[in-house]
Amino acid sequence: MAKETKEGITVSKEKDFSEWYTQVVTKSDLADYSPVSGCMIFKPYAYAIWEKIVATVDKKIKKMGVQNAYFPLLIPEKLLNKEKEHVEGFSPEVAWVTHTGKSKLEERLAIRPTSETIMYEAYARWIRSWRDLPLRLNQFNSVIRWEFKNPVLFLRTREFLWNEGHTAFATKKEAEKECTDILNTYYDVLKDLLALHSVKGKKTEKEKFAGAEYTISTELFMPHGRAIQGPDAHHDGQNFAKAFGIEFLDEKEKKQHVWQNTWAISTRVIGILIAAHGDDKGLVLPPNIAPNQIVIVPIIFKKEGEKVLKKAKELVKQLKEHNVILDDRDYSPGWKYNEWELKGVPLRIEIGPNDLKKKQVIIVRRDTGKKEIVKENKVKEVVHKLLEDMQKNLYKQSEKIFTSKKTKAATMSALQKVIKQKKFAEVHWCGETTCEETIKDKTEGAKILNIPFEQPKKVSNCVCCKKQGKHQVIVAKSY
Amino acid sequence: MAKETKEGITVSKEKDFSEWYTQVVTKSDLADYSPVSGCMIFKPYAYAIWEKIVATVDKKIKKMGVQNAYFPLLIPEKLLNKEKEHVEGFSPEVAWVTHTGKSKLEERLAIRPTSETIMYEAYARWIRSWRDLPLRLNQFNSVIRWEFKNPVLFLRTREFLWNEGHTAFATKKEAEKECTDILNTYYDVLKDLLALHSVKGKKTEKEKFAGAEYTISTELFMPHGRAIQGPDAHHDGQNFAKAFGIEFLDEKEKKQHVWQNTWAISTRVIGILIAAHGDDKGLVLPPNIAPNQIVIVPIIFKKEGEKVLKKAKELVKQLKEHNVILDDRDYSPGWKYNEWELKGVPLRIEIGPNDLKKKQVIIVRRDTGKKEIVKENKVKEVVHKLLEDMQKNLYKQSEKIFTSKKTKAATMSALQKVIKQKKFAEVHWCGETTCEETIKDKTEGAKILNIPFEQPKKVSNCVCCKKQGKHQVIVAKSY
């Protein structure tokens, strides 16, 4: 038997989240650092997760009538400068191409931080009449935003993968309906695929997307007390339409500007997935997103080895819809258990000579660690049930993190205390940016995440200025 | 009825291929130019074709054991410089990032022209033992190569989409087997999906990939007498392994360098597809690659309109596996016929009040233009047969272009004549680069495309130096 060793996770999630996170990501073979600071390598295991997210989003948005396309990676500087707020938001982080081969370019080219400007230049040429609307295009690609904060694999990187939808409608009403539909779609992807609880709401003026009329977002809550923004959707009103001259003749032959949206889900959600579900043994993957739902570990002794292996192979066939791994490498069973736990495979099936005799297998769940002896003829049925249970259980746990750490705060000192305790504060707010900024200052950086769509009937006074509040909001430290 | 007009193709493919090509690409809504010279926009119609190619290649390579991953877009200059031939081949076309935000970078970053260098830096860290091999990774992404020749949509652009496979094996034998398998896979994609005939062979030393030991390629032949290189595969030997220090301990605990391959299919094949099959009415799409295989045009008169439309909708359901379009817009049938012919939809089904009475439809094939009256209850069966026939017929036509234009040339003057006639010359060659260069000089730029795997039993004297020839090769002007 091979004597290779592989170190497991050496710190606890609760005691040192940041070290725990890095160990899980790198040791479970999801990702690696690259020689370009802040840019990461998505290894096959993480990329397989991303492919599942892409396939799911792709199917959903195509069903809604969105089409995929591909626009150039490089954007001329003058195009990027067309929408004032947009360029102010993005230019501090733009990577600039200035030379090609040995020649200096006449005009600098930005690597897309997002593609509004390169797409809307074309929209302005393509859209002529109401018949050309809606125009709903999406791209799956990568973008570069040269952040200067400390990078964190998946969660804060200078390059990330995403989808970016950019749509144009004849009316504000249609555009706003799409914006909501898309956010609901993303919410469902978080819930059903990634087993992640999130809170939908509207971003504050201060936190909205650069160039948007407003932004709606999903906000997620991590066990170590930080919030992370999930996928979002922006209603751009006619801001870009006016900056780029995207006009159409309506049915009455009247010239109008289009109404637009922008929306995205990124590989950041993989980081959220890891942070939310992982435990001290490593990754825990919800069955619906796991590249492999089951690993079968045959316990092979010389004598009975062949028979056990034969049975294991039968099981692989029987369970093939679950993308089963058969681990028949010459490592010890214990070593294998550790490895697959580290990688977060939802179910492990153990089968040895004794089980063979008793016509049974042992099934172990990754989330609870619970072992179950299952009769051979019941395996399919039990596997199905366990996977369903585990998906539900992980969602419930994710929800529980939020509900158990959410604490009301009516005064600034109460708010400060909640944030210090690494909890999420539910506060009332007057809606003024000055109070929003004061909250941030007095809590050492906690932010209003969004204004949840679900609001109480009555809102009390603002936690900051004590005037009548307008919204109930959640304040937390976030990535 | 709407009075919009859309101009068809105004030049003939035979008389002015280049103008014809541009018109087909832009008028059929496949692609558009962008404000960045040489970079193009892949509109949804072209992107849907690319998605089909990606899905097919993805499935085939995954079945072979290749995994997808994603490596950073940006490559530090010193990494790009590690393999001498490689950097010499690519650096004249590299787009350089020198600034981010307002800061100047300490080291320039190249936008990947190809990813060997950024991937192999990681391979050197990841590969330790024979147990880690083979390592077979692939990416679907875009690359930038800042060519200075005149751009042609799809065929010669500064950014294109592709797959890039980069693999490492313990033995040369395994690596070479993969290299051949991959080329055969690409050949099948060209043949079965795109209905394109190609010639497999080995590139000459002069034309091989920068950094490879040898390159094997598919070469395709266009009706206007130019050749285009299709997807290819490179066996890199241990060149990169030595430059990047990719070593492993073999089963006898001996240190060895890995053996590597690199392989790619790009959006260039969409250009080949257009050039090969299109006609004076526009695009002709082989059924297997067409985003929509059938368009149904109901002939709607006031009285019988509803009935006709109802029947058309029934047909859509019946034929849904073919991704049918129902064109019930208020344009004239003739206008619609032109539009769908321009877009190359394989089959058109016309149905009017008369057909309804006679329980029949009219089916028109895009490649031959042949009309057929088909009884309602036979539609499914006939459609199936016609699509199959059309796919085969287009492949045969593509093959015929090659065989009908391929002409033997035993002397340099015969060769010059063949090239002037815009044909493909089959010549014998001694294998020396000097003769290869002379051929190019004396034919105003015609090249040896590759050394076909299929060789005659006896090879005559070199067309250039008259010494004993080594190979039969095909010489043509190419993109």
Side-chain angles (χ1 to χ4, degrees), chain B residues 129-157:
Chain B
S129 121
W130 61 274
R131 288 170 183 272
D132 301 321
L133 295 174
L135 180 60
R136 304 171 73 188
L137 300 187
N138 174 65
Q139 320 193 64
F140 289 99
N141 58 23
S142 83
V143 291
I144 299 265
R145 296 179 185 175
W146 214 260
E147 286 214 47
F148 292 91
K149 280 189 212 164
N150 205 24
V152 182
L153 292 163
F154 296 109
L155 292 175
R156 200 191 299 124
T157 51

PDB file of all heavy atoms in Angstrom, chain B residues 129-157:
ATOM      1  N   SER B 129       4.999  13.048  -8.835  1.00  0.00           N
ATOM      2  CA  SER B 129       5.232  11.611  -9.017  1.00  0.00           C
ATOM      3  C   SER B 129       4.462  11.108 -10.242  1.00  0.00           C
ATOM      4  O   SER B 129       3.577  11.800 -10.762  1.00  0.00           O
ATOM      5  CB  SER B 129       4.774  10.891  -7.749  1.00  0.00           C
ATOM      6  OG  SER B 129       3.770   9.932  -8.005  1.00  0.00           O
ATOM      7  N   TRP B 130       4.795   9.900 -10.675  1.00  0.00           N
ATOM      8  CA  TRP B 130       4.074   9.284 -11.792  1.00  0.00           C
ATOM      9  C   TRP B 130       2.584   9.182 -11.488  1.00  0.00           C
ATOM     10  O   TRP B 130       1.761   9.133 -12.392  1.00  0.00           O
ATOM     11  CB  TRP B 130       4.660   7.895 -12.094  1.00  0.00           C
ATOM     12  CG  TRP B 130       4.542   6.943 -10.919  1.00  0.00           C
ATOM     13  CD1 TRP B 130       5.422   6.812  -9.880  1.00  0.00           C
ATOM     14  CD2 TRP B 130       3.471   6.038 -10.653  1.00  0.00           C
ATOM     15  NE1 TRP B 130       4.973   5.881  -8.983  1.00  0.00           N
ATOM     16  CE2 TRP B 130       3.777   5.369  -9.438  1.00  0.00           C
ATOM     17  CE3 TRP B 130       2.296   5.707 -11.330  1.00  0.00           C
ATOM     18  CZ2 TRP B 130       2.937   4.412  -8.884  1.00  0.00           C
ATOM     19  CZ3 TRP B 130       1.458   4.745 -10.776  1.00  0.00           C
ATOM     20  CH2 TRP B 130       1.782   4.107  -9.557  1.00  0.00           C
ATOM     21  N   ARG B 131       2.228   9.186 -10.199  1.00  0.00           N
ATOM     22  CA  ARG B 131       0.820   9.128  -9.821  1.00  0.00           C
ATOM     23  C   ARG B 131       0.055  10.381 -10.237  1.00  0.00           C
ATOM     24  O   ARG B 131      -1.168  10.359 -10.309  1.00  0.00           O
ATOM     25  CB  ARG B 131       0.688   8.994  -8.300  1.00  0.00           C
ATOM     26  CG  ARG B 131       1.081   7.642  -7.740  1.00  0.00           C
ATOM     27  CD  ARG B 131       1.150   7.718  -6.216  1.00  0.00           C
ATOM     28  NE  ARG B 131       1.586   6.470  -5.641  1.00  0.00           N
ATOM     29  CZ  ARG B 131       0.767   5.480  -5.317  1.00  0.00           C
ATOM     30  NH1 ARG B 131      -0.516   5.582  -5.493  1.00  0.00           N
ATOM     31  NH2 ARG B 131       1.252   4.365  -4.812  1.00  0.00           N
ATOM     32  N   ASP B 132       0.750  11.462 -10.421  1.00  0.00           N
ATOM     33  CA  ASP B 132       0.080  12.711 -10.807  1.00  0.00           C
ATOM     34  C   ASP B 132      -0.139  12.791 -12.315  1.00  0.00           C
ATOM     35  O   ASP B 132      -0.674  13.785 -12.814  1.00  0.00           O
ATOM     36  CB  ASP B 132       0.919  13.920 -10.361  1.00  0.00           C
ATOM     37  CG  ASP B 132       1.157  13.939  -8.862  1.00  0.00           C
ATOM     38  OD1 ASP B 132       0.212  13.600  -8.125  1.00  0.00           O
ATOM     39  OD2 ASP B 132       2.285  14.273  -8.434  1.00  0.00           O
ATOM     40  N   LEU B 133       0.309  11.780 -13.032  1.00  0.00           N
ATOM     41  CA  LEU B 133       0.234  11.812 -14.498  1.00  0.00           C
ATOM     42  C   LEU B 133      -0.756  10.773 -15.024  1.00  0.00           C
ATOM     43  O   LEU B 133      -0.955   9.758 -14.377  1.00  0.00           O
ATOM     44  CB  LEU B 133       1.626  11.564 -15.092  1.00  0.00           C
ATOM     45  CG  LEU B 133       2.645  12.666 -14.774  1.00  0.00           C
ATOM     46  CD1 LEU B 133       4.019  12.248 -15.273  1.00  0.00           C
ATOM     47  CD2 LEU B 133       2.229  13.986 -15.400  1.00  0.00           C
ATOM     48  N   PRO B 134      -1.335  10.946 -16.218  1.00  0.00           N
ATOM     49  CA  PRO B 134      -1.222  12.168 -17.002  1.00  0.00           C
ATOM     50  C   PRO B 134      -2.008  13.325 -16.373  1.00  0.00           C
ATOM     51  O   PRO B 134      -2.964  13.095 -15.653  1.00  0.00           O
ATOM     52  CB  PRO B 134      -1.845  11.771 -18.346  1.00  0.00           C
ATOM     53  CG  PRO B 134      -2.822  10.706 -18.006  1.00  0.00           C
ATOM     54  CD  PRO B 134      -2.228   9.958 -16.844  1.00  0.00           C
ATOM     55  N   LEU B 135      -1.570  14.531 -16.664  1.00  0.00           N
ATOM     56  CA  LEU B 135      -2.329  15.729 -16.290  1.00  0.00           C
ATOM     57  C   LEU B 135      -2.834  16.332 -17.596  1.00  0.00           C
ATOM     58  O   LEU B 135      -2.042  16.755 -18.437  1.00  0.00           O
ATOM     59  CB  LEU B 135      -1.428  16.719 -15.543  1.00  0.00           C
ATOM     60  CG  LEU B 135      -2.100  18.029 -15.092  1.00  0.00           C
ATOM     61  CD1 LEU B 135      -3.266  17.770 -14.142  1.00  0.00           C
ATOM     62  CD2 LEU B 135      -1.089  18.953 -14.418  1.00  0.00           C
ATOM     63  N   ARG B 136      -4.137  16.295 -17.760  1.00  0.00           N
ATOM     64  CA  ARG B 136      -4.709  16.712 -19.052  1.00  0.00           C
ATOM     65  C   ARG B 136      -5.755  17.793 -18.824  1.00  0.00           C
ATOM     66  O   ARG B 136      -6.892  17.501 -18.507  1.00  0.00           O
ATOM     67  CB  ARG B 136      -5.332  15.499 -19.748  1.00  0.00           C
ATOM     68  CG  ARG B 136      -4.334  14.365 -19.934  1.00  0.00           C
ATOM     69  CD  ARG B 136      -5.005  13.095 -20.414  1.00  0.00           C
ATOM     70  NE  ARG B 136      -5.415  13.205 -21.814  1.00  0.00           N
ATOM     71  CZ  ARG B 136      -6.164  12.281 -22.436  1.00  0.00           C
ATOM     72  NH1 ARG B 136      -6.596  11.217 -21.791  1.00  0.00           N
ATOM     73  NH2 ARG B 136      -6.484  12.435 -23.695  1.00  0.00           N
ATOM     74  N   LEU B 137      -5.338  19.046 -18.999  1.00  0.00           N
ATOM     75  CA  LEU B 137      -6.247  20.162 -18.745  1.00  0.00           C
ATOM     76  C   LEU B 137      -6.562  20.925 -20.024  1.00  0.00           C
ATOM     77  O   LEU B 137      -5.756  20.978 -20.955  1.00  0.00           O
ATOM     78  CB  LEU B 137      -5.656  21.116 -17.706  1.00  0.00           C
ATOM     79  CG  LEU B 137      -5.358  20.531 -16.328  1.00  0.00           C
ATOM     80  CD1 LEU B 137      -4.949  21.642 -15.368  1.00  0.00           C
ATOM     81  CD2 LEU B 137      -6.553  19.777 -15.761  1.00  0.00           C
ATOM     82  N   ASN B 138      -7.742  21.502 -20.017  1.00  0.00           N
ATOM     83  CA  ASN B 138      -8.206  22.276 -21.163  1.00  0.00           C
ATOM     84  C   ASN B 138      -8.909  23.530 -20.682  1.00  0.00           C
ATOM     85  O   ASN B 138      -9.507  23.538 -19.616  1.00  0.00           O
ATOM     86  CB  ASN B 138      -9.188  21.437 -21.983  1.00  0.00           C
ATOM     87  CG  ASN B 138      -9.817  22.234 -23.101  1.00  0.00           C
ATOM     88  OD1 ASN B 138      -9.123  22.656 -24.028  1.00  0.00           O
ATOM     89  ND2 ASN B 138     -11.114  22.484 -23.016  1.00  0.00           N
ATOM     90  N   GLN B 139      -8.830  24.597 -21.481  1.00  0.00           N
ATOM     91  CA  GLN B 139      -9.608  25.793 -21.204  1.00  0.00           C
ATOM     92  C   GLN B 139     -10.368  26.215 -22.448  1.00  0.00           C
ATOM     93  O   GLN B 139      -9.830  26.155 -23.544  1.00  0.00           O
ATOM     94  CB  GLN B 139      -8.733  26.994 -20.873  1.00  0.00           C
ATOM     95  CG  GLN B 139      -7.538  26.780 -20.031  1.00  0.00           C
ATOM     96  CD  GLN B 139      -7.002  28.133 -19.575  1.00  0.00           C
ATOM     97  OE1 GLN B 139      -7.660  28.862 -18.862  1.00  0.00           O
ATOM     98  NE2 GLN B 139      -5.813  28.466 -19.993  1.00  0.00           N
ATOM     99  N   PHE B 140     -11.590  26.688 -22.262  1.00  0.00           N
ATOM    100  CA  PHE B 140     -12.281  27.426 -23.315  1.00  0.00           C
ATOM    101  C   PHE B 140     -12.163  28.893 -22.935  1.00  0.00           C
ATOM    102  O   PHE B 140     -12.631  29.298 -21.869  1.00  0.00           O
ATOM    103  CB  PHE B 140     -13.754  27.021 -23.398  1.00  0.00           C
ATOM    104  CG  PHE B 140     -13.962  25.635 -23.949  1.00  0.00           C
ATOM    105  CD1 PHE B 140     -14.187  24.554 -23.111  1.00  0.00           C
ATOM    106  CD2 PHE B 140     -13.935  25.417 -25.320  1.00  0.00           C
ATOM    107  CE1 PHE B 140     -14.378  23.270 -23.626  1.00  0.00           C
ATOM    108  CE2 PHE B 140     -14.131  24.142 -25.845  1.00  0.00           C
ATOM    109  CZ  PHE B 140     -14.347  23.067 -24.993  1.00  0.00           C
ATOM    110  N   ASN B 141     -11.537  29.691 -23.779  1.00  0.00           N
ATOM    111  CA  ASN B 141     -11.354  31.097 -23.430  1.00  0.00           C
ATOM    112  C   ASN B 141     -11.122  31.924 -24.699  1.00  0.00           C
ATOM    113  O   ASN B 141     -11.379  31.441 -25.809  1.00  0.00           O
ATOM    114  CB  ASN B 141     -10.185  31.245 -22.446  1.00  0.00           C
ATOM    115  CG  ASN B 141      -8.886  30.704 -23.015  1.00  0.00           C
ATOM    116  OD1 ASN B 141      -8.715  30.607 -24.234  1.00  0.00           O
ATOM    117  ND2 ASN B 141      -7.961  30.337 -22.155  1.00  0.00           N
ATOM    118  N   SER B 142     -10.650  33.160 -24.529  1.00  0.00           N
ATOM    119  CA  SER B 142     -10.279  33.955 -25.703  1.00  0.00           C
ATOM    120  C   SER B 142      -8.813  34.328 -25.570  1.00  0.00           C
ATOM    121  O   SER B 142      -8.276  34.388 -24.464  1.00  0.00           O
ATOM    122  CB  SER B 142     -11.136  35.208 -25.805  1.00  0.00           C
ATOM    123  OG  SER B 142     -10.623  36.227 -24.980  1.00  0.00           O
ATOM    124  N   VAL B 143      -8.164  34.549 -26.702  1.00  0.00           N
ATOM    125  CA  VAL B 143      -6.766  34.977 -26.684  1.00  0.00           C
ATOM    126  C   VAL B 143      -6.601  36.190 -27.592  1.00  0.00           C
ATOM    127  O   VAL B 143      -7.417  36.437 -28.470  1.00  0.00           O
ATOM    128  CB  VAL B 143      -5.800  33.860 -27.146  1.00  0.00           C
ATOM    129  CG1 VAL B 143      -5.741  32.738 -26.121  1.00  0.00           C
ATOM    130  CG2 VAL B 143      -6.189  33.319 -28.503  1.00  0.00           C
ATOM    131  N   ILE B 144      -5.523  36.921 -27.320  1.00  0.00           N
ATOM    132  CA  ILE B 144      -5.221  38.108 -28.131  1.00  0.00           C
ATOM    133  C   ILE B 144      -3.887  37.906 -28.849  1.00  0.00           C
ATOM    134  O   ILE B 144      -2.875  37.569 -28.204  1.00  0.00           O
ATOM    135  CB  ILE B 144      -5.106  39.370 -27.240  1.00  0.00           C
ATOM    136  CG1 ILE B 144      -6.413  39.660 -26.506  1.00  0.00           C
ATOM    137  CG2 ILE B 144      -4.623  40.570 -28.068  1.00  0.00           C
ATOM    138  CD1 ILE B 144      -7.353  40.639 -27.142  1.00  0.00           C
ATOM    139  N   ARG B 145      -3.907  38.059 -30.153  1.00  0.00           N
ATOM    140  CA  ARG B 145      -2.662  38.078 -30.941  1.00  0.00           C
ATOM    141  C   ARG B 145      -2.766  39.243 -31.898  1.00  0.00           C
ATOM    142  O   ARG B 145      -3.550  39.209 -32.842  1.00  0.00           O
ATOM    143  CB  ARG B 145      -2.504  36.763 -31.718  1.00  0.00           C
ATOM    144  CG  ARG B 145      -2.356  35.567 -30.806  1.00  0.00           C
ATOM    145  CD  ARG B 145      -2.229  34.275 -31.584  1.00  0.00           C
ATOM    146  NE  ARG B 145      -2.217  33.149 -30.661  1.00  0.00           N
ATOM    147  CZ  ARG B 145      -2.221  31.883 -31.047  1.00  0.00           C
ATOM    148  NH1 ARG B 145      -2.222  31.572 -32.337  1.00  0.00           N
ATOM    149  NH2 ARG B 145      -2.207  30.916 -30.158  1.00  0.00           N
ATOM    150  N   TRP B 146      -1.939  40.261 -31.638  1.00  0.00           N
ATOM    151  CA  TRP B 146      -2.081  41.518 -32.350  1.00  0.00           C
ATOM    152  C   TRP B 146      -1.443  41.455 -33.737  1.00  0.00           C
ATOM    153  O   TRP B 146      -0.398  42.048 -33.980  1.00  0.00           O
ATOM    154  CB  TRP B 146      -1.481  42.649 -31.512  1.00  0.00           C
ATOM    155  CG  TRP B 146      -2.229  43.929 -31.704  1.00  0.00           C
ATOM    156  CD1 TRP B 146      -1.859  44.975 -32.500  1.00  0.00           C
ATOM    157  CD2 TRP B 146      -3.474  44.302 -31.109  1.00  0.00           C
ATOM    158  NE1 TRP B 146      -2.792  45.965 -32.444  1.00  0.00           N
ATOM    159  CE2 TRP B 146      -3.804  45.581 -31.580  1.00  0.00           C
ATOM    160  CE3 TRP B 146      -4.357  43.670 -30.228  1.00  0.00           C
ATOM    161  CZ2 TRP B 146      -4.959  46.252 -31.210  1.00  0.00           C
ATOM    162  CZ3 TRP B 146      -5.508  44.331 -29.851  1.00  0.00           C
ATOM    163  CH2 TRP B 146      -5.798  45.597 -30.334  1.00  0.00           C
ATOM    164  N   GLU B 147      -2.111  40.758 -34.624  1.00  0.00           N
ATOM    165  CA  GLU B 147      -1.636  40.638 -36.013  1.00  0.00           C
ATOM    166  C   GLU B 147      -1.694  41.996 -36.692  1.00  0.00           C
ATOM    167  O   GLU B 147      -2.566  42.806 -36.396  1.00  0.00           O
ATOM    168  CB  GLU B 147      -2.579  39.721 -36.789  1.00  0.00           C
ATOM    169  CG  GLU B 147      -2.421  38.277 -36.446  1.00  0.00           C
ATOM    170  CD  GLU B 147      -2.678  37.433 -37.690  1.00  0.00           C
ATOM    171  OE1 GLU B 147      -2.118  37.785 -38.755  1.00  0.00           O
ATOM    172  OE2 GLU B 147      -3.417  36.450 -37.578  1.00  0.00           O
ATOM    173  N   PHE B 148      -0.795  42.211 -37.632  1.00  0.00           N
ATOM    174  CA  PHE B 148      -0.822  43.482 -38.327  1.00  0.00           C
ATOM    175  C   PHE B 148      -1.342  43.362 -39.762  1.00  0.00           C
ATOM    176  O   PHE B 148      -1.482  44.343 -40.466  1.00  0.00           O
ATOM    177  CB  PHE B 148       0.544  44.167 -38.244  1.00  0.00           C
ATOM    178  CG  PHE B 148       0.834  44.604 -36.829  1.00  0.00           C
ATOM    179  CD1 PHE B 148       1.495  43.775 -35.936  1.00  0.00           C
ATOM    180  CD2 PHE B 148       0.377  45.831 -36.362  1.00  0.00           C
ATOM    181  CE1 PHE B 148       1.719  44.159 -34.625  1.00  0.00           C
ATOM    182  CE2 PHE B 148       0.596  46.227 -35.051  1.00  0.00           C
ATOM    183  CZ  PHE B 148       1.271  45.394 -34.176  1.00  0.00           C
ATOM    184  N   LYS B 149      -1.663  42.120 -40.173  1.00  0.00           N
ATOM    185  CA  LYS B 149      -2.283  41.944 -41.497  1.00  0.00           C
ATOM    186  C   LYS B 149      -3.722  42.413 -41.431  1.00  0.00           C
ATOM    187  O   LYS B 149      -4.323  42.506 -40.381  1.00  0.00           O
ATOM    188  CB  LYS B 149      -2.257  40.465 -41.888  1.00  0.00           C
ATOM    189  CG  LYS B 149      -0.912  39.998 -42.423  1.00  0.00           C
ATOM    190  CD  LYS B 149      -1.071  38.598 -42.988  1.00  0.00           C
ATOM    191  CE  LYS B 149       0.173  37.770 -42.824  1.00  0.00           C
ATOM    192  NZ  LYS B 149      -0.078  36.349 -43.003  1.00  0.00           N
ATOM    193  N   ASN B 150      -4.274  42.654 -42.606  1.00  0.00           N
ATOM    194  CA  ASN B 150      -5.652  43.086 -42.735  1.00  0.00           C
ATOM    195  C   ASN B 150      -6.609  42.099 -42.050  1.00  0.00           C
ATOM    196  O   ASN B 150      -6.597  40.929 -42.362  1.00  0.00           O
ATOM    197  CB  ASN B 150      -5.970  43.160 -44.235  1.00  0.00           C
ATOM    198  CG  ASN B 150      -7.095  44.137 -44.503  1.00  0.00           C
ATOM    199  OD1 ASN B 150      -7.332  45.050 -43.709  1.00  0.00           O
ATOM    200  ND2 ASN B 150      -7.783  43.930 -45.582  1.00  0.00           N
ATOM    201  N   PRO B 151      -7.431  42.569 -41.108  1.00  0.00           N
ATOM    202  CA  PRO B 151      -8.317  41.609 -40.440  1.00  0.00           C
ATOM    203  C   PRO B 151      -9.477  41.133 -41.326  1.00  0.00           C
ATOM    204  O   PRO B 151      -9.949  41.876 -42.182  1.00  0.00           O
ATOM    205  CB  PRO B 151      -8.840  42.390 -39.231  1.00  0.00           C
ATOM    206  CG  PRO B 151      -8.655  43.825 -39.560  1.00  0.00           C
ATOM    207  CD  PRO B 151      -7.543  43.934 -40.546  1.00  0.00           C
ATOM    208  N   VAL B 152      -9.898  39.907 -41.124  1.00  0.00           N
ATOM    209  CA  VAL B 152     -11.069  39.340 -41.803  1.00  0.00           C
ATOM    210  C   VAL B 152     -11.930  38.697 -40.712  1.00  0.00           C
ATOM    211  O   VAL B 152     -11.422  37.886 -39.929  1.00  0.00           O
ATOM    212  CB  VAL B 152     -10.655  38.244 -42.816  1.00  0.00           C
ATOM    213  CG1 VAL B 152     -11.896  37.705 -43.546  1.00  0.00           C
ATOM    214  CG2 VAL B 152      -9.624  38.768 -43.795  1.00  0.00           C
ATOM    215  N   LEU B 153     -13.194  39.064 -40.641  1.00  0.00           N
ATOM    216  CA  LEU B 153     -14.070  38.553 -39.582  1.00  0.00           C
ATOM    217  C   LEU B 153     -13.963  37.032 -39.479  1.00  0.00           C
ATOM    218  O   LEU B 153     -14.001  36.334 -40.493  1.00  0.00           O
ATOM    219  CB  LEU B 153     -15.528  38.968 -39.845  1.00  0.00           C
ATOM    220  CG  LEU B 153     -15.817  40.475 -39.707  1.00  0.00           C
ATOM    221  CD1 LEU B 153     -17.139  40.854 -40.365  1.00  0.00           C
ATOM    222  CD2 LEU B 153     -15.801  40.930 -38.257  1.00  0.00           C
ATOM    223  N   PHE B 154     -13.815  36.530 -38.299  1.00  0.00           N
ATOM    224  CA  PHE B 154     -13.626  35.107 -37.982  1.00  0.00           C
ATOM    225  C   PHE B 154     -12.257  34.572 -38.426  1.00  0.00           C
ATOM    226  O   PHE B 154     -11.589  33.894 -37.657  1.00  0.00           O
ATOM    227  CB  PHE B 154     -14.707  34.195 -38.590  1.00  0.00           C
ATOM    228  CG  PHE B 154     -16.084  34.428 -38.065  1.00  0.00           C
ATOM    229  CD1 PHE B 154     -17.057  35.009 -38.863  1.00  0.00           C
ATOM    230  CD2 PHE B 154     -16.412  34.080 -36.763  1.00  0.00           C
ATOM    231  CE1 PHE B 154     -18.338  35.237 -38.370  1.00  0.00           C
ATOM    232  CE2 PHE B 154     -17.694  34.289 -36.265  1.00  0.00           C
ATOM    233  CZ  PHE B 154     -18.651  34.881 -37.081  1.00  0.00           C
ATOM    234  N   LEU B 155     -11.850  34.852 -39.667  1.00  0.00           N
ATOM    235  CA  LEU B 155     -10.675  34.183 -40.213  1.00  0.00           C
ATOM    236  C   LEU B 155      -9.358  34.779 -39.735  1.00  0.00           C
ATOM    237  O   LEU B 155      -8.375  34.069 -39.546  1.00  0.00           O
ATOM    238  CB  LEU B 155     -10.718  34.205 -41.744  1.00  0.00           C
ATOM    239  CG  LEU B 155     -11.823  33.343 -42.349  1.00  0.00           C
ATOM    240  CD1 LEU B 155     -11.876  33.526 -43.857  1.00  0.00           C
ATOM    241  CD2 LEU B 155     -11.635  31.866 -41.995  1.00  0.00           C
ATOM    242  N   ARG B 156      -9.306  36.089 -39.568  1.00  0.00           N
ATOM    243  CA  ARG B 156      -8.074  36.700 -39.062  1.00  0.00           C
ATOM    244  C   ARG B 156      -8.455  37.872 -38.180  1.00  0.00           C
ATOM    245  O   ARG B 156      -8.736  38.967 -38.665  1.00  0.00           O
ATOM    246  CB  ARG B 156      -7.166  37.138 -40.209  1.00  0.00           C
ATOM    247  CG  ARG B 156      -5.717  37.304 -39.752  1.00  0.00           C
ATOM    248  CD  ARG B 156      -4.824  37.991 -40.764  1.00  0.00           C
ATOM    249  NE  ARG B 156      -4.708  37.274 -42.011  1.00  0.00           N
ATOM    250  CZ  ARG B 156      -4.984  37.798 -43.200  1.00  0.00           C
ATOM    251  NH1 ARG B 156      -5.403  39.036 -43.300  1.00  0.00           N
ATOM    252  NH2 ARG B 156      -4.850  37.073 -44.299  1.00  0.00           N
ATOM    253  N   THR B 157      -8.480  37.632 -36.874  1.00  0.00           N
ATOM    254  CA  THR B 157      -8.869  38.680 -35.929  1.00  0.00           C
ATOM    255  C   THR B 157      -7.853  38.713 -34.791  1.00  0.00           C
ATOM    256  O   THR B 157      -7.153  37.739 -34.550  1.00  0.00           O
ATOM    257  CB  THR B 157     -10.269  38.381 -35.335  1.00  0.00           C
ATOM    258  OG1 THR B 157     -10.278  37.047 -34.834  1.00  0.00           O
ATOM    259  CG2 THR B 157     -11.342  38.533 -36.392  1.00  0.00           C
TER     260      THR B 157
END
